[in-house]
Amino acid sequence: MTLDFLPQLPFAFSQPVLFGALLVLGLLAGEAVRRYAALPRITGYVLAGVLLGPQASNLLSADALLDARLLVDLSIGLIVFELGFRLDFGWLRRNPWLLVTALAESLLCFWSIYATLAYFGFRPLLAAAAAAIGTATSPAVVMVVAQELRAQGQVTERMLLFTAVNSIFAYLALTLLLPFLYFEQASGWQDALLHPLYLLAGSVLTGFAASVLMLRLAGWIGQREEGQFVLLVATVVLTVGVAHSLNLSVLAALITLGMLARNLDRGHVLLPLRFGHGGQLFFVILFVLTGASLEFEALGVAAAVAAAFIVMRFLGKALALLAFGRLSGIRPGGAGLLAVALLPMSGLAVVMVQDTALFYPSFGRELADVVLSAVAVLELLGPLATQFALRRAGEAHPDG
Amino acid sequence: MADASDEMSFRPSPQASLGIELELQLVRPHDLDLSRDAADLLARLGRRKLPGAVKPEITESMIELNSSVHSGCSGLLAELEAMRAAVVEEAGVLNLRISGGGSHPFHDWAERRIFPNERFRAIVERYGYLAKQFTVFGQHIHVGCPGGDEAVYLTHMLTRYVPHFIALSAASPFYQGEDTSFQSSRLTAVSAFPLAGHMPFVADWAQFGEYFARMKGFGIVSSMKDFYWDIRPKPEYGTVEIRVCDTPLTVRRAALLAAYAQALAAHHLAERSLQPARSVYLVNGFNRFEACRFGIAGELVEPYSGTRKKIGEDILESIARVAPQAAPLGCGEALEELAAMVRVGQSDAAWLRARHGARGSLADVVRDACARWETPG
């Protein structure tokens, strides 16, 4: 008897096992915090990630996280696609103050973080890059919390709209800072100019091409929900893959795809978007992996900076919203709640830091220290803030 | 709280004066389902100077336009048009769309949220899920009466025309995502209420007052508002209120329906040629069903002669009969326009079905209905 048919020890678990276990643990943690602490499920997913990640048990090692990057991109891709799909140019046309408010929110928030970091003595380029990343609200968090609470109403709609605008703003600002990074590293001016140009034009074109493809095919498939659902997921996955292979921005390509699919659809061939339970799967993955990527060491050293970063970021957003909120037609009290709802920072910020680090490792390291300690705090506070704001605004479903 | 006698004293109003209430759908553009922004929209409209009034309704997905009192339908139409434009403009700021029609084709009633005020909360407490299912959209037409006895008489007279108003306004063929095969499915939601139906067969205002006092004594009702009848006297306004119409897809049709009600009232109050008859209520259930199910193509039993004919045909005969009273009121042209629609079989329900046929999805039907409501004129 050789028992050769039995597996060798130690067991070499394949990716699916790890992946499945990650989902199950995330799910359980999400349910647990919801049931026993009345916290948003996201908080549980993130905690599961922290426990699995290099900071704690190291079941998800730093290498495993790097391998999982495509999964993160796919999840973020789906989320920003849906966010872009909700961005209605018609609304901005009918209510121009809304666009003014959204731009003011981004600008003031950027400036406020930048000034804070400059005050703490960070050099301008680092401060600007961190401020750009900090301007973005986490699309995933606001969308998941809104979905979980079944929130509907003006604060919810504006929260999604402003998140789309400040995410685009953050991406553009970060990309426009690239030439300065090249100069700092004393590279040639050709690279300095061509890289951001390639990123922007390439990502937008990819998104545009994908939207045209999606609309054409949807027109041919017709108004069949199952058919359109598969088409939607397929186009999103394809676009994420293409952006990934071409070193383009997944965020820019997918938000472009979402916006154009919605706003170029003159003949209304696309059915209203419903990812349903399928979307939930990607949310769990994203938040567990983001949780695993959190770093807490820097937090001890830079606690004061992180605290100032978070407070000034909030004040920047709040000031702009309070100044312009009424003009954009929000009810009294709505602007303040909106500022609170826009607090979350999460996976998108992590990805932006990682992308920068890919090309400029040392700069990326410095950036990570500043940004990721704020993310670590807001990852846990953000969902609570959004949940509080939407409930307080009376927009959460009574059973949500 | 006013006592029963105060509440039941009939405030006379000019004979055949006119006013309407229109319940409208608030739609969110991104998936064309019902939205819940009534409070925000009402707050914005509250800051504008509007000719009529705008009010909340049972769920947060609805608002109600109330016209002021008019002597003729052209003034009413001008006012409705001004209100329509204002509502559409303010809705645009909030990224909402507005639609007419008696039902939202695919909303899920369980998702609706009750508008937060005392009266609506009490209705939910009492009626449970019926309250949320009551997210249907109707037009109520008020016709002025000089006194309570006239109001009772007119209520009996107008009951004969209930199938007319149902067929002419029918605009709720789809409900909960399905084609109901009805022209108006909305009235089924109303019928579920225990105090739905019609006024009892009383002879005058004094008898009606006795009936009301008994019902109040039993603790079954506390005010006239508790009766969900198809047609009811409304003593505080001094009117008879017709409540069977779906909200049409355009303000124009809403004004035409009001003109027809006004002409009928003027005719019956002037001629007094018929006496209230129990046979009207004998055939009412059948006629009402035929109108909901088949619209103007349905059949009705004429209660006084007992003959059976097409509802559309009966409408045309009735329009011809009231024409002499319609002309001095200035609503002759309106009645002709209505008759022309009946002759070619044009209805809002048919329009909605045609859009569904052409576009293939109920979301597109909602989008087209919104575009129709939002178009001036």
Side-chain angles (χ1 to χ4, degrees), chain A residues 128-151:
Chain A
I133 294 175
T135 303
T137 298
S138 162
V141 173
V142 294
M143 288 184 60
V144 174
V145 173
Q147 219 177 68
E148 198 175 304
L149 297 176
R150 292 199 276 160

Side-chain angles (χ1 to χ4, degrees), chain A residues 190-384:
Chain A
Q190 293 95 333
D191 281 350
L193 287 184
L194 287 177
H195 188 201
L197 207 63
Y198 173 73
L199 275 178
L200 275 182
S203 307
V204 170
L205 274 177
T206 305
F208 170 69
S211 70
V212 172
L213 180 77
M214 185 188 269
L215 289 174
R216 283 278 166 82
L217 293 180
W220 187 77
I221 289 173
Q223 309 257 10
R224 259 186 48 233
E225 218 158 296
E226 323 83 85
Q228 289 215 357
F229 177 77
V230 175
L231 173 68
L232 220 76
V233 175
T235 320
V236 168
V237 173
L238 188 69
T239 313
V240 170
V242 169
H244 218 263
S245 322
L246 298 180
N247 285 340
L248 294 170
S249 157
V250 168
L251 165 71
L254 270 294
I255 209 163
T256 308
L257 169 59
M259 283 191 306
L260 295 184
R262 167 72 188 268
N263 291 284
L264 293 181
D265 186 11
R266 299 258 156 68
H268 305 294
V269 295
L270 286 178
L271 291 170
L273 181 66
R274 280 197 195 94
F275 279 124
H277 301 312
Q280 207 58 34
L281 195 70
F282 285 94
F283 289 145
V284 180
I285 296 171
L286 177 65
F287 286 110
V288 174
L289 291 176
T290 313
S293 317
L294 291 183
E295 296 181 14
F296 297 99
E297 303 103 65
L299 196 58
V301 190
V305 178
F309 182 107
I310 291 167
V311 170
M312 294 306 286
R313 176 175 178 268
F314 171 71
L315 288 180
K317 289 181 184 299
L319 208 64
L321 291 171
L322 290 172
F324 292 100
R326 288 299 289 278
L327 288 170
S328 75
I330 196 157
R331 62 177 170 274
L337 290 174
L338 195 52
V340 175
L342 289 172
L343 209 55
M345 266 179 97
S346 176
L348 184 65
V350 176
V351 164
M352 284 178 161
V353 170
Q354 285 172 350
D355 281 353
T356 317
L358 218 56
F359 286 97
Y360 319 99
S362 66
F363 183 80
R365 192 60 251 160
E366 290 177 84
L367 193 60
D369 286 344
V370 184
V371 175
L372 293 191
S373 30
V375 173
V377 176
L378 287 181
E379 191 70 65
L380 299 171
L381 277 186
L384 278 172

Side-chain angles (χ1 to χ4, degrees), chain A residues 91 94 150 152 223 331, chain B residues 36 40 93 111 113 364:
Chain A
W91 191 11
R94 282 189 300 274
R150 292 199 276 160
Q152 279 179 39
Q223 309 257 10
R331 62 177 170 274
Chain B
R36 49 163 298 263
D40 285 284
V93 173
E111 283 294 312
R113 300 187 208 172
D364 285 320

Side-chain angles (χ1 to χ4, degrees), chain B residues 153-350:
Chain B
Y153 175 76
L154 192 58
T155 302
H156 287 313
M157 285 301 111
L158 289 178
T159 299
R160 182 209 176 292
Y161 301 98
V162 160
H164 291 193
F165 284 99
I166 294 172
L168 287 170
S169 68
S172 50
F174 302 106
Y175 190 62
Q176 301 289 305
E178 298 293 334
D179 188 330
T180 58
S181 78
F182 276 51
Q183 307 301 305
S184 168
S185 66
R186 167 184 152 274
L187 281 175
T188 314
V190 184
S191 305
F193 285 86
L195 297 172
H198 57 76
M199 186 180 77
F201 197 71
V202 293
D204 53 29
W205 190 246
Q207 268 190 28
F208 185 80
E210 277 167 37
Y211 165 81
F212 181 79
R214 285 188 76 190
M215 293 298 274
K216 198 165 174 173
F218 294 147
I220 294 177
V221 298
S222 57
S223 85
M224 275 301 293
K225 273 202 173 101
D226 295 329
F227 292 113
Y228 287 33
W229 294 336
D230 287 351
I231 304 182
R232 71 181 180 196
K234 181 103 176 168
E236 58 175 303
Y237 291 176
T239 61
V240 168
E241 181 186 11
I242 302 172
R243 300 154 46 86
V244 292
C245 296
D246 282 357
T247 297
L249 296 174
T250 55
V251 287
R252 186 164 189 89
R253 193 183 270 264
L256 297 183
L257 291 168
Y260 184 42
Q262 186 188 29
L264 286 171
H267 171 79
H268 282 289
L269 289 177
E271 303 262 309
R272 289 248 176 190
S273 51
L274 291 174
Q275 283 314 301
R278 285 185 189 275
S279 59
V280 170
Y281 295 97
L282 219 52
V283 298
N284 183 48
F286 172 83
N287 289 354
R288 194 175 180 278
F289 167 78
E290 283 279 319
C292 288
R293 173 71 179 83
F294 302 107
I296 48 178
E299 290 193 338
L300 58 69
V301 177
E302 207 293 312
Y304 289 93
S305 67
T307 52
R308 200 167 156 137
K309 51 186 155 180
K310 291 273 184 219
I311 293 174
E313 193 187 316
D314 195 51
I315 294 173
L316 293 176
E317 287 171 17
S318 139
I319 287 179
R321 196 162 54 237
V322 301
Q325 281 84 12
L329 291 166
C331 60
E333 278 173 32
L335 294 196
E336 268 167 38
E337 192 174 335
L338 211 51
M341 288 174 176
V342 173
R343 274 185 215 107
V344 296
Q346 189 185 350
S347 76
D348 284 350

